[in-house]
Amino acid sequence: MSYWELEEHGGYLHDERKMVAYRDALAEVIRPGDVMLDLGAGSGVLGHLALLAGAERIVSVEAGDIIELARAIAAANGFADRVEFHQVLSTELQLDERVHVVVCDQIGGLVHDAGVLGYFADAERRLTVPDARFVPGRFTLQLTPVTLDGGFEPIERWRGSPAVELELGAGLDHAHNCEWRVDSRKVDIERRGHTLDVVEVESTDDDPVRVSMTTVVETDGAFTGWLGTFEAQLSPSVALTNAPWSSGRFNRWCNLLPIDHTLSLCAGDELRVTLDLRPELRVVTWETEVLTTSDGGDRVVAHRSRRSTFLGGFLTLHSLAMVADQRPVPRPGLAPLARRILDLAETGLSVADIVEATGDAVPEQVASADRLRALVRSVLAVTTPAAAPGATSRR
Amino acid sequence: MPLPDRVALHELVLMRDVEDERVLVHLGSERDHVMDAIGATMLDAALEHGPRAALQVLTERFDAPVDLLVADLERLRDRLADSGIIATSGGR
């Protein structure tokens, strides 16, 4: 529990458009006697709205300590006996009784990035009755080519610092491969073309998405990247969007998917985008092509870039080793050392003991303790025979 | 199977270097793969020059017998092709 949680959740409570939309949607969706799962409940306000709409009980799931506040608000408003609180991730929740309705507001700027699709998919598999109702029930993911005047400051900072003379290109490369949260109330955003409704997904569908679309540039100007937004269908007649140019928008960040550098576009140019979402990997990849007309009248690709959060996130061998613990790993090809590790494992030694026992005889390329521990864990998790030199697989 | 003339990364594969290892992710299979520096050097040479032409480069780089390098390249190619990381063409 901290000041920023009070700031964040206080902001939700005062987002009138959002509160009215959820109130109206729950009034439409809830049936008498329903038990509703309030997933990522925060201060518990959506559960309260569901009770007012006729729900019998609420199962309130919140992993954070703000659940203390939700309990206090429920007690102060006289519905503590109708709310069951669980301080746990919803993916770890076990219920004796399945619920009829699930509500969740953990919706990212481009939907996927706050986890709602995965949480809903898990809830549908384990926690709900057949034909349960989900709020929201559907999402439309949208991309719009935009100009951010002067670029996007958190990215531009990595071009250099007036205070310190350092080569910062590595940071800039990471920055161009990140999906950035943009508060459209604070940043001047100009559209360069139509908003593309890239894909519609059921809110319980966390399957990979790969879609390509093309839009035509409407006016001359700079191109900073794609602004990711969404429309959420909360109920048959209530929708909510975070698109900055929509009169019905609520206060939710948008996602900027940048290109390599700001480009100058001419009206009539074509922009082609391929969006690739991999919820399981938590990787988003966006490919951009700018097609312009040559002097000879042919359509030519003037710019092509591929950016991915796989390349934007920081990664070290230490963190890879942590991940390797959780994944099935085929046998690596570092044959002599791998054989020794397996032999030691068969004697019943622990990972730490094996690391210590092999530490004096490892090849030069496994010189650090972290890397040796990662290798030992990988070898002990093997499931298939070795193949190429130096090649291992971690999933 | 002999070495092909050309190899290319599958269009759904992304790769990056982490310290001195190479991490590749196949977005289609949603699997990630790790290669050590030697494997990465061999892959880079094969992608740039084609596996058969890469032999010359790698022979000079590693000062290793050609037969050994051919065997290593074939195993690397098979493993990466089986994983869908690369596509090959033009083998003789």
Side-chain angles (χ1 to χ4, degrees):
Chain A
M1 185 68 184
S2 60
Y3 74 90
W4 62 264
E5 285 178 289
L6 287 170
E7 181 183 12
E8 177 188 354
H9 290 275
Y12 295 155
L13 292 169
H14 286 267
D15 186 342
E16 188 175 348
R17 188 160 284 132
K18 173 185 156 179
M19 283 300 126
V20 168
Y22 271 97
R23 183 198 66 196
D24 292 350
L26 289 168
E28 201 170 353
V29 168
I30 294 288
R31 299 170 191 159
D34 275 345
V35 177
M36 188 187 83
L37 176 63
D38 185 1
L39 202 159
S43 64
V45 63
L46 298 184
H48 178 50
L49 293 176
L51 289 173
L52 292 175
E56 183 177 304
R57 284 189 296 111
I58 304 298
V59 178
S60 185
V61 184
E62 170 57 56
D65 288 346
I66 195 172
I67 197 167
E68 179 196 354
L69 179 60
R71 281 196 184 100
I73 289 174
N77 288 277
F79 52 87
D81 60 340
R82 296 170 68 192
V83 187
E84 173 185 322
F85 291 99
H86 297 265
Q87 187 174 11
V88 67
L89 284 173
S90 68
T91 49
E92 296 164 358
L93 178 67
Q94 303 289 334
L95 292 177
D96 295 331
E97 173 191 21
R98 293 192 170 230
V99 301
H100 307 94
V101 181
V102 185
V103 67
C104 178
D105 183 43
Q106 289 192 220
I107 308 167
L110 193 53
V111 178
H112 71 98
D113 47 300
V116 64
L117 300 175
Y119 293 136
F120 269 8
D122 171 69
E124 186 184 46
R125 282 190 289 268
R126 303 186 303 109
L127 304 173
T128 67
V129 299
D131 302 322
R133 287 146 276 150
F134 289 81
V135 181
R138 291 183 71 79
F139 294 103
T140 303
L141 280 59
Q142 304 165 324
L143 290 176
T144 307
V146 294
T147 304
L148 274 61
D149 193 24
F152 185 56
E153 190 186 352
I155 296 176
E156 298 304 313
R157 286 174 185 155
W158 291 99
R159 294 193 187 280
S161 164
V164 183
E165 283 194 20
L166 279 175
E167 166 53 50
L168 300 175
L172 187 62
D173 203 37
H174 279 281
H176 278 136
N177 284 289
C178 288
E179 193 180 22
W180 291 89
R181 290 186 177 186
V182 176
D183 185 340
S184 62
R185 296 169 299 180
K186 299 177 181 172
V187 178
D188 191 15
I189 300 170
E190 186 180 355
R191 278 194 282 185
R192 292 265 75 84
H194 285 298
T195 294
L196 298 171
D197 287 344
V198 178
V199 64
E200 273 190 41
V201 293
E202 297 287 339
S203 62
T204 54
D205 182 359
D206 62 349
D207 287 340
V209 169
R210 185 175 175 84
V211 187
S212 296
M213 296 192 87
T214 301
T215 187
V216 177
V217 177
E218 294 172 336
T219 55
D220 293 357
F223 176 42
T224 312
W226 300 92
L227 195 72
T229 56
F230 65 83
E231 182 174 291
Q233 199 69 43
L234 300 186
S235 69
S237 64
V238 180
L240 207 50
T241 180
N242 63 340
W245 29 81
S246 169
S247 58
R249 72 173 299 279
F250 77 123
N251 294 330
R252 182 60 44 90
W253 67 88
C254 308
N255 286 11
L256 176 69
L257 310 181
I259 57 170
D260 299 40
H261 52 272
T262 299
L263 294 173
S264 292
L265 299 179
C266 299
D269 288 348
E270 285 180 33
L271 289 171
R272 183 177 300 156
V273 62
T274 298
L275 179 70
D276 190 304
L277 296 176
R278 305 285 161 174
E280 180 78 11
L281 287 173
R282 299 185 180 184
V283 169
V284 183
T285 304
W286 58 101
E287 301 169 29
T288 304
E289 282 187 339
V290 180
L291 289 89
T292 189
T293 304
S294 70
D295 293 341
D298 297 325
R299 263 330 208 192
V300 295
V301 176
H303 171 85
R304 178 181 285 129
S305 69
R306 177 162 73 162
R307 294 291 173 181
S308 175
T309 55
F310 170 70
L311 306 173
F314 296 127
L315 189 59
T316 65
L317 294 178
H318 178 75
S319 63
L320 272 177
M322 298 303 105
V323 173
D325 273 352
Q326 302 156 20
R327 296 177 174 179
V329 184
R331 180 173 298 184
L334 292 169
L337 181 57
R339 270 197 295 273
R340 184 166 178 206
I341 291 168
L342 289 171
D343 290 342
L344 290 168
E346 285 178 6
T347 68
L349 290 182
S350 67
V351 169
D353 291 335
I354 294 172
V355 169
E356 187 176 344
T358 52
D360 60 344
V362 297
E364 190 177 341
Q365 69 267 29
V366 198
S368 77
D370 278 347
R371 297 192 57 191
L372 179 57
R373 269 191 293 276
L375 179 64
V376 170
R377 289 194 182 101
S378 299
V379 171
L380 297 182
V382 298
T383 55
T384 58
T392 70
S393 177
R394 293 188 188 266
R395 283 171 66 92
Chain B
M1 186 184 296
L3 290 173
D5 289 332
R6 291 177 297 280
V7 298
L9 280 185
H10 191 285
E11 64 171 356
L12 292 181
V13 171
L14 297 163
M15 63 182 187
R16 63 181 290 185
D17 291 329
V18 180
E19 298 170 44
D20 55 355
E21 292 194 353
R22 175 73 51 86
V23 183
L24 304 98
V25 62
H26 192 304
L27 297 175
S29 64
E30 303 203 6
R31 295 171 66 95
D32 46 296
H33 307 259
V34 179
M35 308 174 76
D36 65 16
I38 295 172
T41 301
M42 294 172 75
L43 175 61
D44 288 343
L47 290 171
E48 185 177 354
H49 305 288
R52 287 194 290 118
L55 265 180
Q56 179 68 30
V57 175
L58 294 171
T59 302
E60 292 169 7
R61 171 79 183 267
F62 293 126
D63 190 23
V66 171
D67 289 351
L68 179 62
L69 280 172
V70 168
D72 283 350
L73 271 171
E74 285 178 344
R75 282 189 293 152
L76 183 63
R77 172 208 59 195
D78 290 347
R79 175 66 184 267
L80 296 178
D82 288 348
S83 305
I85 298 290
I86 59 168
T88 62
S89 61
R92 284 191 296 179

PDB file of all heavy atoms in Angstrom, chain A residues 259-282:
ATOM      1  N   ILE A 259       8.783   3.734 -34.518  1.00  0.00           N
ATOM      2  CA  ILE A 259       9.611   3.236 -35.618  1.00  0.00           C
ATOM      3  C   ILE A 259      11.053   3.658 -35.345  1.00  0.00           C
ATOM      4  O   ILE A 259      11.353   4.232 -34.303  1.00  0.00           O
ATOM      5  CB  ILE A 259       9.111   3.755 -36.975  1.00  0.00           C
ATOM      6  CG1 ILE A 259       9.087   5.275 -36.991  1.00  0.00           C
ATOM      7  CG2 ILE A 259       7.738   3.181 -37.287  1.00  0.00           C
ATOM      8  CD1 ILE A 259       8.845   5.846 -38.373  1.00  0.00           C
ATOM      9  N   ASP A 260      11.947   3.374 -36.291  1.00  0.00           N
ATOM     10  CA  ASP A 260      13.376   3.591 -36.032  1.00  0.00           C
ATOM     11  C   ASP A 260      13.706   5.059 -35.778  1.00  0.00           C
ATOM     12  O   ASP A 260      14.472   5.400 -34.898  1.00  0.00           O
ATOM     13  CB  ASP A 260      14.208   3.124 -37.225  1.00  0.00           C
ATOM     14  CG  ASP A 260      14.017   1.652 -37.478  1.00  0.00           C
ATOM     15  OD1 ASP A 260      12.886   1.176 -37.352  1.00  0.00           O
ATOM     16  OD2 ASP A 260      14.999   0.974 -37.817  1.00  0.00           O
ATOM     17  N   HIS A 261      13.152   5.922 -36.617  1.00  0.00           N
ATOM     18  CA  HIS A 261      13.369   7.352 -36.457  1.00  0.00           C
ATOM     19  C   HIS A 261      12.188   8.049 -37.138  1.00  0.00           C
ATOM     20  O   HIS A 261      11.521   7.466 -37.985  1.00  0.00           O
ATOM     21  CB  HIS A 261      14.690   7.795 -37.103  1.00  0.00           C
ATOM     22  CG  HIS A 261      14.827   7.357 -38.522  1.00  0.00           C
ATOM     23  ND1 HIS A 261      15.370   6.139 -38.874  1.00  0.00           N
ATOM     24  CD2 HIS A 261      14.474   7.949 -39.688  1.00  0.00           C
ATOM     25  CE1 HIS A 261      15.354   6.018 -40.198  1.00  0.00           C
ATOM     26  NE2 HIS A 261      14.819   7.091 -40.712  1.00  0.00           N
ATOM     27  N   THR A 262      11.955   9.273 -36.764  1.00  0.00           N
ATOM     28  CA  THR A 262      10.817   9.995 -37.325  1.00  0.00           C
ATOM     29  C   THR A 262      11.003  10.154 -38.834  1.00  0.00           C
ATOM     30  O   THR A 262      12.052  10.556 -39.313  1.00  0.00           O
ATOM     31  CB  THR A 262      10.687  11.371 -36.652  1.00  0.00           C
ATOM     32  OG1 THR A 262      10.472  11.161 -35.254  1.00  0.00           O
ATOM     33  CG2 THR A 262       9.515  12.141 -37.231  1.00  0.00           C
ATOM     34  N   LEU A 263       9.953   9.799 -39.588  1.00  0.00           N
ATOM     35  CA  LEU A 263       9.992   9.872 -41.047  1.00  0.00           C
ATOM     36  C   LEU A 263       9.083  10.987 -41.536  1.00  0.00           C
ATOM     37  O   LEU A 263       8.087  11.313 -40.892  1.00  0.00           O
ATOM     38  CB  LEU A 263       9.486   8.549 -41.654  1.00  0.00           C
ATOM     39  CG  LEU A 263      10.314   7.297 -41.437  1.00  0.00           C
ATOM     40  CD1 LEU A 263       9.544   6.085 -41.956  1.00  0.00           C
ATOM     41  CD2 LEU A 263      11.654   7.417 -42.154  1.00  0.00           C
ATOM     42  N   SER A 264       9.430  11.531 -42.698  1.00  0.00           N
ATOM     43  CA  SER A 264       8.531  12.490 -43.339  1.00  0.00           C
ATOM     44  C   SER A 264       7.652  11.741 -44.327  1.00  0.00           C
ATOM     45  O   SER A 264       8.161  11.024 -45.195  1.00  0.00           O
ATOM     46  CB  SER A 264       9.334  13.566 -44.076  1.00  0.00           C
ATOM     47  OG  SER A 264      10.019  14.365 -43.151  1.00  0.00           O
ATOM     48  N   LEU A 265       6.362  11.914 -44.194  1.00  0.00           N
ATOM     49  CA  LEU A 265       5.415  11.236 -45.072  1.00  0.00           C
ATOM     50  C   LEU A 265       4.716  12.248 -45.965  1.00  0.00           C
ATOM     51  O   LEU A 265       4.571  13.422 -45.601  1.00  0.00           O
ATOM     52  CB  LEU A 265       4.356  10.490 -44.251  1.00  0.00           C
ATOM     53  CG  LEU A 265       4.831   9.394 -43.314  1.00  0.00           C
ATOM     54  CD1 LEU A 265       3.638   8.802 -42.571  1.00  0.00           C
ATOM     55  CD2 LEU A 265       5.561   8.291 -44.091  1.00  0.00           C
ATOM     56  N   CYS A 266       4.280  11.756 -47.130  1.00  0.00           N
ATOM     57  CA  CYS A 266       3.484  12.586 -48.025  1.00  0.00           C
ATOM     58  C   CYS A 266       2.088  11.989 -48.141  1.00  0.00           C
ATOM     59  O   CYS A 266       1.927  10.761 -48.081  1.00  0.00           O
ATOM     60  CB  CYS A 266       4.112  12.650 -49.418  1.00  0.00           C
ATOM     61  SG  CYS A 266       5.763  13.381 -49.416  1.00  0.00           S
ATOM     62  N   ALA A 267       1.114  12.841 -48.303  1.00  0.00           N
ATOM     63  CA  ALA A 267      -0.252  12.353 -48.516  1.00  0.00           C
ATOM     64  C   ALA A 267      -0.239  11.394 -49.704  1.00  0.00           C
ATOM     65  O   ALA A 267       0.389  11.671 -50.733  1.00  0.00           O
ATOM     66  CB  ALA A 267      -1.181  13.533 -48.780  1.00  0.00           C
ATOM     67  N   GLY A 268      -0.902  10.279 -49.545  1.00  0.00           N
ATOM     68  CA  GLY A 268      -0.932   9.274 -50.604  1.00  0.00           C
ATOM     69  C   GLY A 268       0.045   8.130 -50.374  1.00  0.00           C
ATOM     70  O   GLY A 268      -0.111   7.054 -50.957  1.00  0.00           O
ATOM     71  N   ASP A 269       1.075   8.338 -49.559  1.00  0.00           N
ATOM     72  CA  ASP A 269       1.950   7.222 -49.192  1.00  0.00           C
ATOM     73  C   ASP A 269       1.113   6.142 -48.501  1.00  0.00           C
ATOM     74  O   ASP A 269       0.091   6.445 -47.874  1.00  0.00           O
ATOM     75  CB  ASP A 269       3.058   7.670 -48.237  1.00  0.00           C
ATOM     76  CG  ASP A 269       4.124   8.520 -48.914  1.00  0.00           C
ATOM     77  OD1 ASP A 269       4.130   8.578 -50.161  1.00  0.00           O
ATOM     78  OD2 ASP A 269       4.936   9.125 -48.187  1.00  0.00           O
ATOM     79  N   GLU A 270       1.569   4.905 -48.606  1.00  0.00           N
ATOM     80  CA  GLU A 270       0.880   3.821 -47.897  1.00  0.00           C
ATOM     81  C   GLU A 270       1.725   3.383 -46.711  1.00  0.00           C
ATOM     82  O   GLU A 270       2.953   3.313 -46.802  1.00  0.00           O
ATOM     83  CB  GLU A 270       0.664   2.622 -48.820  1.00  0.00           C
ATOM     84  CG  GLU A 270      -0.434   2.832 -49.836  1.00  0.00           C
ATOM     85  CD  GLU A 270      -0.602   1.605 -50.723  1.00  0.00           C
ATOM     86  OE1 GLU A 270      -0.401   0.481 -50.237  1.00  0.00           O
ATOM     87  OE2 GLU A 270      -0.913   1.790 -51.908  1.00  0.00           O
ATOM     88  N   LEU A 271       1.050   3.091 -45.629  1.00  0.00           N
ATOM     89  CA  LEU A 271       1.712   2.537 -44.442  1.00  0.00           C
ATOM     90  C   LEU A 271       1.167   1.141 -44.202  1.00  0.00           C
ATOM     91  O   LEU A 271      -0.049   0.965 -44.085  1.00  0.00           O
ATOM     92  CB  LEU A 271       1.425   3.405 -43.217  1.00  0.00           C
ATOM     93  CG  LEU A 271       2.088   4.774 -43.166  1.00  0.00           C
ATOM     94  CD1 LEU A 271       1.515   5.574 -42.017  1.00  0.00           C
ATOM     95  CD2 LEU A 271       3.591   4.609 -43.007  1.00  0.00           C
ATOM     96  N   ARG A 272       2.058   0.188 -44.153  1.00  0.00           N
ATOM     97  CA  ARG A 272       1.634  -1.194 -43.891  1.00  0.00           C
ATOM     98  C   ARG A 272       2.202  -1.611 -42.538  1.00  0.00           C
ATOM     99  O   ARG A 272       3.384  -1.427 -42.262  1.00  0.00           O
ATOM    100  CB  ARG A 272       2.176  -2.122 -44.984  1.00  0.00           C
ATOM    101  CG  ARG A 272       1.717  -3.568 -44.842  1.00  0.00           C
ATOM    102  CD  ARG A 272       2.238  -4.394 -45.993  1.00  0.00           C
ATOM    103  NE  ARG A 272       1.760  -3.899 -47.280  1.00  0.00           N
ATOM    104  CZ  ARG A 272       2.392  -4.108 -48.438  1.00  0.00           C
ATOM    105  NH1 ARG A 272       3.522  -4.774 -48.469  1.00  0.00           N
ATOM    106  NH2 ARG A 272       1.890  -3.632 -49.561  1.00  0.00           N
ATOM    107  N   VAL A 273       1.352  -2.150 -41.704  1.00  0.00           N
ATOM    108  CA  VAL A 273       1.799  -2.587 -40.384  1.00  0.00           C
ATOM    109  C   VAL A 273       1.433  -4.051 -40.186  1.00  0.00           C
ATOM    110  O   VAL A 273       0.358  -4.500 -40.605  1.00  0.00           O
ATOM    111  CB  VAL A 273       1.178  -1.713 -39.258  1.00  0.00           C
ATOM    112  CG1 VAL A 273      -0.339  -1.822 -39.238  1.00  0.00           C
ATOM    113  CG2 VAL A 273       1.757  -2.072 -37.903  1.00  0.00           C
ATOM    114  N   THR A 274       2.350  -4.788 -39.603  1.00  0.00           N
ATOM    115  CA  THR A 274       2.061  -6.153 -39.162  1.00  0.00           C
ATOM    116  C   THR A 274       2.236  -6.177 -37.654  1.00  0.00           C
ATOM    117  O   THR A 274       3.312  -5.856 -37.140  1.00  0.00           O
ATOM    118  CB  THR A 274       3.020  -7.164 -39.812  1.00  0.00           C
ATOM    119  OG1 THR A 274       2.847  -7.123 -41.234  1.00  0.00           O
ATOM    120  CG2 THR A 274       2.732  -8.582 -39.319  1.00  0.00           C
ATOM    121  N   LEU A 275       1.164  -6.524 -36.977  1.00  0.00           N
ATOM    122  CA  LEU A 275       1.191  -6.597 -35.513  1.00  0.00           C
ATOM    123  C   LEU A 275       1.196  -8.058 -35.108  1.00  0.00           C
ATOM    124  O   LEU A 275       0.355  -8.839 -35.564  1.00  0.00           O
ATOM    125  CB  LEU A 275      -0.037  -5.902 -34.924  1.00  0.00           C
ATOM    126  CG  LEU A 275      -0.141  -5.918 -33.397  1.00  0.00           C
ATOM    127  CD1 LEU A 275       0.925  -5.034 -32.778  1.00  0.00           C
ATOM    128  CD2 LEU A 275      -1.529  -5.471 -32.946  1.00  0.00           C
ATOM    129  N   ASP A 276       2.156  -8.409 -34.273  1.00  0.00           N
ATOM    130  CA  ASP A 276       2.292  -9.796 -33.826  1.00  0.00           C
ATOM    131  C   ASP A 276       2.282  -9.799 -32.299  1.00  0.00           C
ATOM    132  O   ASP A 276       3.201  -9.288 -31.666  1.00  0.00           O
ATOM    133  CB  ASP A 276       3.611 -10.376 -34.379  1.00  0.00           C
ATOM    134  CG  ASP A 276       3.715 -11.872 -34.172  1.00  0.00           C
ATOM    135  OD1 ASP A 276       3.604 -12.317 -33.018  1.00  0.00           O
ATOM    136  OD2 ASP A 276       3.916 -12.601 -35.160  1.00  0.00           O
ATOM    137  N   LEU A 277       1.226 -10.359 -31.718  1.00  0.00           N
ATOM    138  CA  LEU A 277       1.095 -10.428 -30.260  1.00  0.00           C
ATOM    139  C   LEU A 277       1.247 -11.876 -29.818  1.00  0.00           C
ATOM    140  O   LEU A 277       0.560 -12.755 -30.333  1.00  0.00           O
ATOM    141  CB  LEU A 277      -0.277  -9.944 -29.800  1.00  0.00           C
ATOM    142  CG  LEU A 277      -0.674  -8.497 -30.041  1.00  0.00           C
ATOM    143  CD1 LEU A 277      -2.119  -8.277 -29.594  1.00  0.00           C
ATOM    144  CD2 LEU A 277       0.242  -7.573 -29.282  1.00  0.00           C
ATOM    145  N   ARG A 278       2.133 -12.114 -28.880  1.00  0.00           N
ATOM    146  CA  ARG A 278       2.346 -13.463 -28.332  1.00  0.00           C
ATOM    147  C   ARG A 278       2.150 -13.402 -26.823  1.00  0.00           C
ATOM    148  O   ARG A 278       3.106 -13.190 -26.059  1.00  0.00           O
ATOM    149  CB  ARG A 278       3.754 -13.958 -28.668  1.00  0.00           C
ATOM    150  CG  ARG A 278       4.081 -13.937 -30.142  1.00  0.00           C
ATOM    151  CD  ARG A 278       3.409 -15.060 -30.890  1.00  0.00           C
ATOM    152  NE  ARG A 278       3.359 -14.773 -32.324  1.00  0.00           N
ATOM    153  CZ  ARG A 278       2.928 -15.630 -33.238  1.00  0.00           C
ATOM    154  NH1 ARG A 278       2.496 -16.823 -32.865  1.00  0.00           N
ATOM    155  NH2 ARG A 278       2.892 -15.285 -34.494  1.00  0.00           N
ATOM    156  N   PRO A 279       0.913 -13.557 -26.375  1.00  0.00           N
ATOM    157  CA  PRO A 279       0.651 -13.408 -24.938  1.00  0.00           C
ATOM    158  C   PRO A 279       1.480 -14.359 -24.077  1.00  0.00           C
ATOM    159  O   PRO A 279       1.936 -13.978 -22.991  1.00  0.00           O
ATOM    160  CB  PRO A 279      -0.849 -13.729 -24.823  1.00  0.00           C
ATOM    161  CG  PRO A 279      -1.402 -13.415 -26.167  1.00  0.00           C
ATOM    162  CD  PRO A 279      -0.311 -13.792 -27.135  1.00  0.00           C
ATOM    163  N   GLU A 280       1.678 -15.590 -24.554  1.00  0.00           N
ATOM    164  CA  GLU A 280       2.427 -16.553 -23.749  1.00  0.00           C
ATOM    165  C   GLU A 280       3.872 -16.097 -23.545  1.00  0.00           C
ATOM    166  O   GLU A 280       4.430 -16.208 -22.460  1.00  0.00           O
ATOM    167  CB  GLU A 280       2.388 -17.923 -24.438  1.00  0.00           C
ATOM    168  CG  GLU A 280       3.133 -19.018 -23.721  1.00  0.00           C
ATOM    169  CD  GLU A 280       2.370 -19.575 -22.533  1.00  0.00           C
ATOM    170  OE1 GLU A 280       1.174 -19.272 -22.378  1.00  0.00           O
ATOM    171  OE2 GLU A 280       2.980 -20.297 -21.754  1.00  0.00           O
ATOM    172  N   LEU A 281       4.473 -15.576 -24.621  1.00  0.00           N
ATOM    173  CA  LEU A 281       5.853 -15.092 -24.540  1.00  0.00           C
ATOM    174  C   LEU A 281       5.940 -13.682 -23.958  1.00  0.00           C
ATOM    175  O   LEU A 281       7.027 -13.230 -23.618  1.00  0.00           O
ATOM    176  CB  LEU A 281       6.476 -15.048 -25.940  1.00  0.00           C
ATOM    177  CG  LEU A 281       6.851 -16.362 -26.611  1.00  0.00           C
ATOM    178  CD1 LEU A 281       7.274 -16.099 -28.044  1.00  0.00           C
ATOM    179  CD2 LEU A 281       7.978 -17.044 -25.850  1.00  0.00           C
ATOM    180  N   ARG A 282       4.794 -13.007 -23.911  1.00  0.00           N
ATOM    181  CA  ARG A 282       4.761 -11.588 -23.534  1.00  0.00           C
ATOM    182  C   ARG A 282       5.634 -10.762 -24.467  1.00  0.00           C
ATOM    183  O   ARG A 282       6.410  -9.904 -24.032  1.00  0.00           O
ATOM    184  CB  ARG A 282       5.183 -11.393 -22.087  1.00  0.00           C
ATOM    185  CG  ARG A 282       4.256 -12.109 -21.138  1.00  0.00           C
ATOM    186  CD  ARG A 282       4.570 -11.837 -19.710  1.00  0.00           C
ATOM    187  NE  ARG A 282       3.651 -12.543 -18.849  1.00  0.00           N
ATOM    188  CZ  ARG A 282       3.619 -12.439 -17.543  1.00  0.00           C
ATOM    189  NH1 ARG A 282       4.443 -11.635 -16.944  1.00  0.00           N
ATOM    190  NH2 ARG A 282       2.763 -13.131 -16.828  1.00  0.00           N
TER     191      ARG A 282
END
